Every structure is written in structure tokens, then in C-alpha cells.
Amino acid sequence: MSVSNHTSSNGDAEQERLGIPTLVIFVSLSMPISLLAIGMFMFVPRVYSSLGEITMGDAGLVILVTRLWDFVTDPLVGWLSDKTRTKFGRRIPWMVAAWLPLSIAVYKLFLPPSDAGVAYLALWSFVLFASGTALFMPYTAMGAELSPAYHQRSRVFLYRHVFAVVGTLCAAMLFVVASTLGNSFFPERDALQLIAWSGLIILPFPILATAW
């Protein structure tokens, strides 16, 4: 009897095991998210201060203040996402709906006009963080819902962090490329442009793949 139960338990555990393709498809979204986050926090303040309309300290303060809205939007989006009921599930509609405003905010923030100042940075930072929350909070919750098994959830978050590291390394690589091959004396601006276009091109694919 004990052998039978042991075999049954092993079979249940095997059925609960998430396949590598499922894991890779789901966690791949962490790569462009990490890439764009590096661009936002590492390069945006420096680029905006170079435009002459705002200091680096003021740029950092604007980003900090708009980021503090996460104290409101994080629990709000989490609660609304929990209450969402559609034929596509609770999380996917939020992630898909967040893509367009997030992409617009990335384009506006990472490729600013020459006269961009405090108001411009504040507006598009707020849009980016709000839409980023609408994408990331349901995405994080969905990761915990892929399997009821503890070890499978651990695998999801392990793979997710690996892909986040890949995104960080890609940002560093793009900075090296901008420093080596760029035509300007300001590689941060070139790197931010490369990060913007790379993120905008890559971002929809893991969202659609996860939805599928």
C-alpha cells in the first residue's frame, strides 16, 4: 500500500512539473522589462540633464516622486487584477492592455525632444510606472499561479531572475556598443536609444506568447 501511494505521489509530482518551453515562454518577459528598467534608472537622468533644461539631481527627484505612486498603484492593480473575470483569465487582459501605453511612454521618455524638462519627464515617468505596474503586477501574480507545487513555483522565479539578469547584461552590452561605435561624445544617449528600440521591438513577443 505504501509503495502504491509513493508511486502515485511521484506521478502527481511529475504531472505538476512545468515543462522547459512553458517556463521559457513565460519568464522571457523579464528580459525586456529588466532592459528597460536599466535604461530608465541608469541612463534617463543623465540624458535629461544633458539637454540643459533640468539638472541630474532634479531628474532623479522627479523619477523618485513619480515612482512613489507605486505605493498606490501596486495594491490597486493587484486587487483589480484579482477581481477581473474574463474568458482569457485574470492576468492576461491587464498585461496586454498595458503594452501600448508602456510602449508610448518608453518612446517618449527614452527618445526625448531637445527641450524636454521637468513637466515632460514627470508626465511620461508617471505613464511608464503606471502602465509598468499594470503589466508587472499581474505578471508576477501569474507566475505564482502556474503551478500549485512549491518547487515548481521556485523554478518559475529562478528562471525569471535568470532572464532578468540577461536583460541587465544586454543593457550593458548596448552601452559598450554605443561607446565603441556611436558617433557622438555622449554614449549614454546612444545607449538609451538602442535600449529603447530593442525593448520596443522585443516587448510584444513575450506578452503575446504568454497570452497564447
Side-chain angles (χ1 to χ4, degrees):
M1 187 66 175
S2 61
V3 174
S4 177
N5 288 339
H6 179 70
T7 303
S8 177
S9 298
N10 284 342
D12 291 342
E14 191 63 31
Q15 288 179 356
E16 292 174 353
R17 184 175 178 81
L18 295 170
I20 297 297
T22 299
L23 283 171
V24 170
I25 288 173
F26 178 74
V27 304
S28 61
L29 182 55
S30 295
M31 184 270 185
I33 289 176
S34 177
L35 175 68
L36 294 173
I38 293 296
M40 180 65 187
F41 295 114
M42 296 295 294
F43 297 123
V44 164
R46 180 72 185 273
V47 169
Y48 275 73
S49 67
S50 73
L51 300 177
E53 300 294 326
I54 183 174
T55 66
M56 188 182 297
D58 288 340
L61 182 60
V62 168
I63 292 172
L64 172 62
V65 170
T66 52
R67 188 83 166 97
L68 290 176
W69 275 102
D70 284 355
F71 284 108
V72 176
T73 56
D74 279 7
L76 178 61
V77 169
W79 180 78
L80 291 173
S81 175
D82 287 341
K83 299 298 182 181
T84 298
R85 296 292 183 271
T86 74
K87 64 179 181 180
F88 303 106
R90 296 185 292 177
R91 315 303 181 187
I92 293 298
W94 283 88
M95 295 167 61
V96 173
W99 167 74
L100 182 58
L102 178 60
S103 297
I104 294 173
V106 167
Y107 179 84
K108 292 290 189 178
L109 269 175
F110 289 22
L111 305 168
S114 59
D115 60 346
V118 171
Y120 183 94
L121 177 60
L123 170 63
W124 291 111
S125 293
F126 177 79
V127 175
L128 183 138
F129 290 132
S131 56
T133 294
L135 172 67
F136 192 70
M137 291 301 292
Y139 172 64
T140 302
M142 189 177 176
E145 296 169 349
L146 289 180
S147 172
Y150 172 80
H151 292 296
Q152 297 310 305
R153 292 178 176 180
S154 298
R155 291 177 69 220
V156 170
F157 286 93
L158 170 63
Y159 277 66
R160 205 183 79 187
H161 284 295
V162 168
F163 272 72
V165 171
V166 171
T168 301
L169 294 176
C170 286
M173 181 185 69
L174 291 175
F175 177 70
V176 171
V177 170
S179 301
T180 305
L181 303 178
N183 296 321
S184 74
F185 295 101
F186 195 62
E188 287 87 352
R189 184 180 302 165
D190 294 334
L192 189 60
Q193 292 178 358
L194 289 175
I195 289 172
W197 288 116
S198 298
L200 290 173
I201 291 170
I202 295 171
L203 186 61
F205 292 102
I207 293 177
L208 292 176
T210 299
W212 173 78

